[in-house]
Amino acid sequence: MRTPDELTVLFRSSGRKVTAQRQCIFRLLQGDETHPSAESVHVAAQLEMETISLKTIYQTLHDLTELGEIAALDVGTGRTRFDPNVEDPHHHLVCQVCGSVRDLVVDFPDMSLPAGADLGFELGTAEVIFRGLCPDCRKATSARSSPGVPVGRPA
Amino acid sequence: MRTPDELTVLFRSSGRKVTAQRQCIFRLLQGDETHPSAESVHVAAQLEMETISLKTIYQTLHDLTELGEIAALDVGTGRTRFDPNVEDPHHHLVCQVCGSVRDLVVDFPDMSLPAGADLGFELGTAEVIFRGLCPDCRKATSARSSPGVPVGRPA
DNA sequence: TGTCAACTAACAATCATTGGTGATACCTTG
DNA sequence: CAAGGTATCACCAATGATTGTTAGTTGACA
Ligand SMILES: [Mn+2]
Ligand SMILES: [Mn+2]
Ligand SMILES: [Zn+2]
Ligand SMILES: [Zn+2]
């Protein structure tokens, strides 16, 4: 996604108003590689604006998605994750324990389908999701007894 | 998954009882390649047993998943899809319009990650989801602007 | 400065799924 | 076959993430 300043221009030119809470969300998303959920954006935003409502978070994330500035991901963790990185196509690593999501910048060269394998489908995107254990949860699992916090905000 | 008869033995040997409704579900899943949701299994089951409850469907699908006889998939259509094919590893084609899911029997040879790309993750499974248009929806889309009845939420 | 979108708070509704009742049916083992 | 215990059913409630609604207030910006 673009910089908060560029988003300000974009929002205005698309008939939207630029409020303090929206700019707060712009700033929070800027450079965030954790693929945050609406909920976790809300928590982070509340540190700067105590009264910001979850509704506003959803609203703004929806707007940003509509404008193509961020991507809404469903990686099977139960909540929609938002990805500010829409510039370079990439895939994802998803931790099966804590649900943390990391970018996978590898491009797979040989993912085209053999003739006839598409079954008449008109192919669009191909998304690859690697599931496994993040460094933290791997440590916790191998160290014994301490299971990772189920759903939450990984470091 | 195994045949209904084999599942009957398996259920008994795992301390579960084999009821008429469970056998009905076994039969329905047998050879079903549509990756049905709990809801659609219920609809199909009601044709044979009018009073079978959705609760029972969920219960039995859960049991089958627990036993590893079927797989529970989240392909982003809003409902869990169940896959009786757990024998050969495969990927999936998902229609962006109607949510239909088809198997993709292609094995991608070069999906291992370059050294260092795993970021400390302990890799488990790699699932590939191709999104596009199924034959039916492709026809409907190119012919006119009225798509088929959406079965799931549009991605 | 005035207008209208955006915000908040509080609440209801959605949708897939799971969890509780009791009451009844019926599978399985002895 | 009979007993005991699980499964099922109908009904209804509770999740949890998300969206909608209302009403009153703030604030962006032309
Ligand atoms: Mn990403
Ligand atoms: Mn499949
Ligand atoms: Zn983890
Ligand atoms: Zn389709």
Side-chain angles (χ1 to χ4, degrees), chain B residues 95 97-100 133-134 136-137:
Chain B
C95 178
V97 173
C98 71
S100 67
L133 293 176
C134 74
D136 286 354
C137 291

Side-chain angles (χ1 to χ4, degrees), chain B residues 10-29:
Chain B
L10 180 63
F11 261 52
R12 291 215 177 102
S13 69
S14 65
R16 278 168 255 249
K17 294 187 177 176
V18 179
T19 65
Q21 23 280 80
R22 286 182 173 179
Q23 283 176 316
C24 172
I25 296 172
F26 294 168
R27 262 181 282 112
L28 287 173
L29 290 177

Side-chain angles (χ1 to χ4, degrees), chain B residues 32-44:
Chain B
D32 187 332
E33 300 192 356
T34 68
H35 305 78
S37 63
E39 179 66 31
S40 61
V41 171
H42 186 219
V43 171

